[in-house]
Amino acid sequence: MRFETIKRKSEFNRLYKQGQRKQSRYFTIYALENDQLMIRAGISTGKYIGNAVVRNRIRRIIKELLRKCDLTKKGLDLLIIAKKESVSATYGQIKQSIYHALSSFN
């Protein structure tokens, strides 16, 4: 599945207002269908998560999982907001959390 990054504030705001929200132990995820056959995602990791090294580690893991994702047959715009608990999560726990949320949006 193709993956692209959302960077514009207007797209983030559209996801906040119109997107369907799912919460897990590690993330809050907003999703909205798009007309493209790809996942477009914005990832938010605030300073409450930790220093830049920790925040970038979480972002890299999420991006890698989205690149490997074959769960969706339609295009989705995603906004993934990391929670403080995601710092202590293993790769497997993050993977399970993201894939469970994505499967619930289908």
Side-chain angles (χ1 to χ4, degrees):
M1 175 69 58
R2 283 189 58 200
F3 164 70
E4 189 175 290
T5 305
I6 293 176
K7 296 179 182 173
R8 291 190 179 143
K9 183 173 176 138
S10 61
E11 292 175 327
F12 275 84
N13 288 338
R14 182 176 59 86
L15 281 166
Y16 273 125
K17 291 177 184 174
Q18 299 174 5
Q20 183 182 10
R21 184 178 72 177
K22 297 285 181 184
Q23 292 200 27
S24 71
R25 181 175 177 190
Y26 305 114
F27 304 102
T28 301
I29 301 175
Y30 292 86
L32 193 61
E33 287 187 37
N34 65 28
D35 56 348
Q36 305 161 359
L37 289 175
M38 73 169 64
I39 293 176
R40 296 175 357 129
I43 302 168
S44 175
T45 54
K47 287 191 176 183
Y48 57 87
I49 297 289
N51 62 19
V53 174
V54 174
R55 294 192 309 266
N56 287 331
R57 176 186 165 271
I58 298 295
R59 278 191 217 116
R60 282 193 312 269
I61 290 171
I62 294 169
K63 286 180 182 180
E64 182 62 24
L65 291 171
L66 291 175
R67 276 188 213 104
K68 292 180 178 179
C69 181
D70 285 335
L71 293 174
T72 59
K73 303 297 182 212
K74 59 187 175 187
L76 284 176
D77 285 347
L78 299 172
L79 174 56
I80 301 172
I81 303 168
K83 294 182 180 179
K84 181 87 172 151
E85 293 81 11
S86 64
V87 174
S88 61
T90 64
Y91 179 84
Q93 290 170 328
I94 292 173
K95 178 180 178 179
Q96 182 180 8
S97 179
I98 293 287
Y99 283 7
H100 179 69
L102 289 179
S103 65
S104 67
F105 288 122
N106 281 335

